[in-house]
Amino acid sequence: MENLSRRRALSLGVALGLVGVAEPSKAWAWASKDSVAGAGSGADPEYVWDSATDPLMVSLLENGQVPAVNTAMKGWVNNNDALPSGLPAELRAHLQTYNKLPSWADPVKLARAADFNRRKDTYLFMLYGLGSGIMSTVIPREARSVYWSFGGADMKDRAAKTFTFGYDLSQLDAFKPTGQFIVTANKTRLVHGAVRHLLPQSPHWQAGADQTIPISVADILVTFHSLGTYVHRKMLDWKIPMSKADEEAFLHSWQVAIYLLGVPAEYIPQTWAAADAQSAQVLTPILAPTPEGLDLAEVLLGLTAEIDLGVTRGFLNEFVRYALSDQVGDWLGLRRDYAAAALVRTVWPAFILFREGLSPIAPGAFYMFDQFLRGVAMAFLNNGSSSTTTPITIPTGNRPG
């Protein structure tokens, strides 16, 4: 059975473009010397949460202060916005401490990452939306936590918010005073703290949970690898031109992003090689289908299919298989369309070459692919309640019913 699990992790890791798949194990073996901090305690992030945020959110929830906090924070959007008036003193003190870039953030790298995101937005939209977004539905803990938390009751809205989190990160001024990502990350950190307190009270979540408290540091690292590490690896596999400076800058933007979400520096990979090694341990071996994930995947794919632009559901299914593997496609019950599969596998590489200026000949299906990319972006962005910011509110309960 262990050999079968090992072979499954290896084959899935290869299909996803991830390298060096580790043995499926609960033991924490990643070397903290490879982190941004360069050293660490060696404590398993499976049992590390957010000691700065979690007690604060318990207090705000139990004292009934969250609705007023949500109202106060509604207009708090840009990084240079003053903290809202009317916040509880302990929350104000928390934000004064954490609502800023870490001392090791490199403004030159962040600026280059912003330009890289602008130049490669075509592929980022596709990989974040149809790659990472659908992969999240076969990450058991993430699927269950999303489904049974308050936001799971309206998955269109939840998908839009999740997508626009990455969209905020990809903006040219994401980390600048006029950008929004620092505020978005801090609001998200508060939401995580609330969910850690609320979700264990859900009997539905408890029924399938393998942990007592959700959203550990390990879980946030899994999410990072399903986004940043996966996207980086797929762009390499698809031979999308990237300089070493671009790759380092892209990683740096993610290093800063997960630090702002409360991940201690000793767990944040210093290099892409270190990220690949960590991903091989914490992400690939845990991927599996769940009832909640199957439901979420259908909602997410339906969200994209609503903006058809001449693309069939069969084409959509086959692109997901192309981006994530047939194994993931089979888990999710994505019906095969072999004509669409052949089209994706032959035209997509030609589409990349043309878009990157490496071929003067546009593939015959160029317009369909171009519209498909636009449709993916529209599907997620247009289903949010705002086209300019990520509307984030702290929950006060779990999924109704």
Side-chain angles (χ1 to χ4, degrees), residues 61 108 135 188 205 227-228 246 263 271 296 307 317 324 336 348-349 351:
L61 284 163
V108 175
M135 191 195 302
T188 303
W205 178 80
L227 289 157
D246 284 342
V263 175
T271 64
L296 296 179
I307 301 179
N317 287 353
L324 290 179
R336 298 305 310 258
W348 181 248
F351 177 81

mmCIF file of all heavy atoms in Angstrom, residues 61 108 135 188 205 227-228 246 263 271 296 307 317 324 336 348-349 351:
data_model
loop_
_atom_site.group_PDB
_atom_site.id
_atom_site.type_symbol
_atom_site.label_atom_id
_atom_site.label_comp_id
_atom_site.label_asym_id
_atom_site.label_seq_id
_atom_site.Cartn_x
_atom_site.Cartn_y
_atom_site.Cartn_z
ATOM 1 N N LEU A 61 -14.787 37.845 18.514
ATOM 2 C CA LEU A 61 -15.980 37.043 18.222
ATOM 3 C C LEU A 61 -16.824 36.842 19.479
ATOM 4 O O LEU A 61 -18.051 37.010 19.456
ATOM 5 C CB LEU A 61 -15.569 35.691 17.641
ATOM 6 C CG LEU A 61 -15.120 35.701 16.171
ATOM 7 C CD1 LEU A 61 -14.364 34.428 15.835
ATOM 8 C CD2 LEU A 61 -16.323 35.869 15.246
ATOM 9 N N VAL A 108 12.995 46.587 -5.089
ATOM 10 C CA VAL A 108 13.419 46.395 -6.491
ATOM 11 C C VAL A 108 12.840 45.087 -7.024
ATOM 12 O O VAL A 108 12.300 45.033 -8.136
ATOM 13 C CB VAL A 108 14.955 46.400 -6.596
ATOM 14 C CG1 VAL A 108 15.383 46.071 -8.026
ATOM 15 C CG2 VAL A 108 15.522 47.757 -6.175
ATOM 16 N N MET A 135 -7.112 22.815 -8.580
ATOM 17 C CA MET A 135 -6.298 21.987 -7.696
ATOM 18 C C MET A 135 -6.760 22.098 -6.244
ATOM 19 O O MET A 135 -6.712 21.132 -5.481
ATOM 20 C CB MET A 135 -4.817 22.363 -7.787
ATOM 21 C CG MET A 135 -3.907 21.339 -7.087
ATOM 22 S SD MET A 135 -2.217 21.901 -6.771
ATOM 23 C CE MET A 135 -1.651 22.311 -8.397
ATOM 24 N N THR A 188 -7.357 39.159 5.241
ATOM 25 C CA THR A 188 -7.424 37.706 5.091
ATOM 26 C C THR A 188 -6.863 37.009 6.318
ATOM 27 O O THR A 188 -7.395 35.983 6.768
ATOM 28 C CB THR A 188 -6.652 37.274 3.832
ATOM 29 O OG1 THR A 188 -7.196 37.942 2.692
ATOM 30 C CG2 THR A 188 -6.733 35.775 3.622
ATOM 31 N N TRP A 205 -17.897 19.903 9.606
ATOM 32 C CA TRP A 205 -16.450 19.943 9.407
ATOM 33 C C TRP A 205 -15.774 18.882 10.272
ATOM 34 O O TRP A 205 -14.876 18.167 9.810
ATOM 35 C CB TRP A 205 -15.908 21.330 9.743
ATOM 36 C CG TRP A 205 -14.413 21.424 9.595
ATOM 37 C CD1 TRP A 205 -13.717 21.593 8.439
ATOM 38 C CD2 TRP A 205 -13.439 21.326 10.649
ATOM 39 N NE1 TRP A 205 -12.362 21.614 8.700
ATOM 40 C CE2 TRP A 205 -12.165 21.452 10.040
ATOM 41 C CE3 TRP A 205 -13.521 21.160 12.026
ATOM 42 C CZ2 TRP A 205 -10.980 21.411 10.789
ATOM 43 C CZ3 TRP A 205 -12.338 21.110 12.770
ATOM 44 C CH2 TRP A 205 -11.086 21.240 12.145
ATOM 45 N N LEU A 227 -0.325 27.452 -5.619
ATOM 46 C CA LEU A 227 -0.385 28.699 -6.395
ATOM 47 C C LEU A 227 0.997 29.028 -6.964
ATOM 48 O O LEU A 227 1.302 28.709 -8.097
ATOM 49 C CB LEU A 227 -0.908 29.833 -5.515
ATOM 50 C CG LEU A 227 -2.387 29.748 -5.141
ATOM 51 C CD1 LEU A 227 -2.672 30.544 -3.867
ATOM 52 C CD2 LEU A 227 -3.232 30.307 -6.283
ATOM 53 N N GLY A 228 1.844 29.635 -6.161
ATOM 54 C CA GLY A 228 3.123 30.122 -6.654
ATOM 55 C C GLY A 228 4.040 29.052 -7.202
ATOM 56 O O GLY A 228 4.558 29.173 -8.324
ATOM 57 N N ASP A 246 13.583 37.494 -13.223
ATOM 58 C CA ASP A 246 12.123 37.416 -13.189
ATOM 59 C C ASP A 246 11.666 36.333 -12.219
ATOM 60 O O ASP A 246 10.738 36.541 -11.424
ATOM 61 C CB ASP A 246 11.573 37.099 -14.580
ATOM 62 C CG ASP A 246 11.593 38.291 -15.522
ATOM 63 O OD1 ASP A 246 11.697 39.427 -15.036
ATOM 64 O OD2 ASP A 246 11.501 38.072 -16.751
ATOM 65 N N VAL A 263 2.762 33.561 8.085
ATOM 66 C CA VAL A 263 3.708 32.436 8.054
ATOM 67 C C VAL A 263 5.067 32.922 8.557
ATOM 68 O O VAL A 263 5.628 33.857 7.988
ATOM 69 C CB VAL A 263 3.844 31.864 6.625
ATOM 70 C CG1 VAL A 263 4.918 30.777 6.582
ATOM 71 C CG2 VAL A 263 2.509 31.316 6.147
ATOM 72 N N THR A 271 14.589 29.843 -1.997
ATOM 73 C CA THR A 271 14.804 29.681 -3.435
ATOM 74 C C THR A 271 13.701 28.802 -4.015
ATOM 75 O O THR A 271 12.971 28.132 -3.283
ATOM 76 C CB THR A 271 16.154 29.009 -3.708
ATOM 77 O OG1 THR A 271 16.126 27.668 -3.168
ATOM 78 C CG2 THR A 271 17.300 29.789 -3.079
ATOM 79 N N LEU A 296 -17.324 21.585 -5.103
ATOM 80 C CA LEU A 296 -16.683 22.873 -5.351
ATOM 81 C C LEU A 296 -16.136 22.953 -6.771
ATOM 82 O O LEU A 296 -16.243 23.998 -7.427
ATOM 83 C CB LEU A 296 -15.544 23.090 -4.352
ATOM 84 C CG LEU A 296 -15.945 23.199 -2.874
ATOM 85 C CD1 LEU A 296 -14.701 23.380 -2.017
ATOM 86 C CD2 LEU A 296 -16.909 24.348 -2.662
ATOM 87 N N ILE A 307 -19.522 31.977 -19.009
ATOM 88 C CA ILE A 307 -19.040 32.938 -19.992
ATOM 89 C C ILE A 307 -18.431 32.107 -21.109
ATOM 90 O O ILE A 307 -17.234 31.843 -21.148
ATOM 91 C CB ILE A 307 -18.022 33.909 -19.364
ATOM 92 C CG1 ILE A 307 -18.682 34.653 -18.205
ATOM 93 C CG2 ILE A 307 -17.498 34.897 -20.400
ATOM 94 C CD1 ILE A 307 -17.799 35.620 -17.491
ATOM 95 N N ASN A 317 -12.947 21.079 -19.796
ATOM 96 C CA ASN A 317 -12.518 19.885 -19.076
ATOM 97 C C ASN A 317 -11.133 19.430 -19.509
ATOM 98 O O ASN A 317 -10.293 19.055 -18.683
ATOM 99 C CB ASN A 317 -13.515 18.744 -19.302
ATOM 100 C CG ASN A 317 -14.814 18.939 -18.560
ATOM 101 O OD1 ASN A 317 -14.960 19.861 -17.759
ATOM 102 N ND2 ASN A 317 -15.785 18.084 -18.833
ATOM 103 N N LEU A 324 -3.547 19.962 -15.091
ATOM 104 C CA LEU A 324 -3.453 19.292 -13.789
ATOM 105 C C LEU A 324 -3.217 17.787 -13.845
ATOM 106 O O LEU A 324 -2.896 17.213 -12.810
ATOM 107 C CB LEU A 324 -4.730 19.553 -12.976
ATOM 108 C CG LEU A 324 -4.927 20.966 -12.457
ATOM 109 C CD1 LEU A 324 -6.242 21.077 -11.697
ATOM 110 C CD2 LEU A 324 -3.771 21.392 -11.561
ATOM 111 N N ARG A 336 -14.504 13.136 -20.853
ATOM 112 C CA ARG A 336 -13.496 13.283 -21.892
ATOM 113 C C ARG A 336 -14.094 13.835 -23.183
ATOM 114 O O ARG A 336 -15.236 13.564 -23.525
ATOM 115 C CB ARG A 336 -12.825 11.941 -22.195
ATOM 116 C CG ARG A 336 -12.065 11.297 -21.036
ATOM 117 C CD ARG A 336 -11.021 12.205 -20.423
ATOM 118 N NE ARG A 336 -10.111 12.836 -21.352
ATOM 119 C CZ ARG A 336 -8.851 12.431 -21.581
ATOM 120 N NH1 ARG A 336 -8.389 11.371 -20.950
ATOM 121 N NH2 ARG A 336 -8.082 13.088 -22.419
ATOM 122 N N TRP A 348 -2.083 24.839 -28.003
ATOM 123 C CA TRP A 348 -1.621 25.660 -26.878
ATOM 124 C C TRP A 348 -0.120 25.958 -26.955
ATOM 125 O O TRP A 348 0.279 27.120 -26.792
ATOM 126 C CB TRP A 348 -1.981 25.003 -25.552
ATOM 127 C CG TRP A 348 -1.556 25.790 -24.348
ATOM 128 C CD1 TRP A 348 -0.595 25.467 -23.441
ATOM 129 C CD2 TRP A 348 -2.065 27.059 -23.907
ATOM 130 N NE1 TRP A 348 -0.469 26.431 -22.476
ATOM 131 C CE2 TRP A 348 -1.359 27.417 -22.741
ATOM 132 C CE3 TRP A 348 -3.049 27.918 -24.411
ATOM 133 C CZ2 TRP A 348 -1.605 28.602 -22.058
ATOM 134 C CZ3 TRP A 348 -3.300 29.113 -23.712
ATOM 135 C CH2 TRP A 348 -2.577 29.444 -22.561
ATOM 136 N N PRO A 349 0.757 24.975 -27.210
ATOM 137 C CA PRO A 349 2.178 25.310 -27.353
ATOM 138 C C PRO A 349 2.436 26.308 -28.482
ATOM 139 O O PRO A 349 3.280 27.207 -28.342
ATOM 140 C CB PRO A 349 2.831 23.948 -27.644
ATOM 141 C CG PRO A 349 1.911 22.947 -27.025
ATOM 142 C CD PRO A 349 0.540 23.507 -27.257
ATOM 143 N N PHE A 351 0.297 28.545 -29.516
ATOM 144 C CA PHE A 351 -0.262 29.810 -29.023
ATOM 145 C C PHE A 351 0.773 30.538 -28.162
ATOM 146 O O PHE A 351 0.970 31.750 -28.294
ATOM 147 C CB PHE A 351 -1.526 29.503 -28.217
ATOM 148 C CG PHE A 351 -2.186 30.694 -27.592
ATOM 149 C CD1 PHE A 351 -3.021 31.515 -28.334
ATOM 150 C CD2 PHE A 351 -1.981 31.004 -26.249
ATOM 151 C CE1 PHE A 351 -3.641 32.621 -27.757
ATOM 152 C CE2 PHE A 351 -2.595 32.094 -25.664
ATOM 153 C CZ PHE A 351 -3.427 32.905 -26.421
#
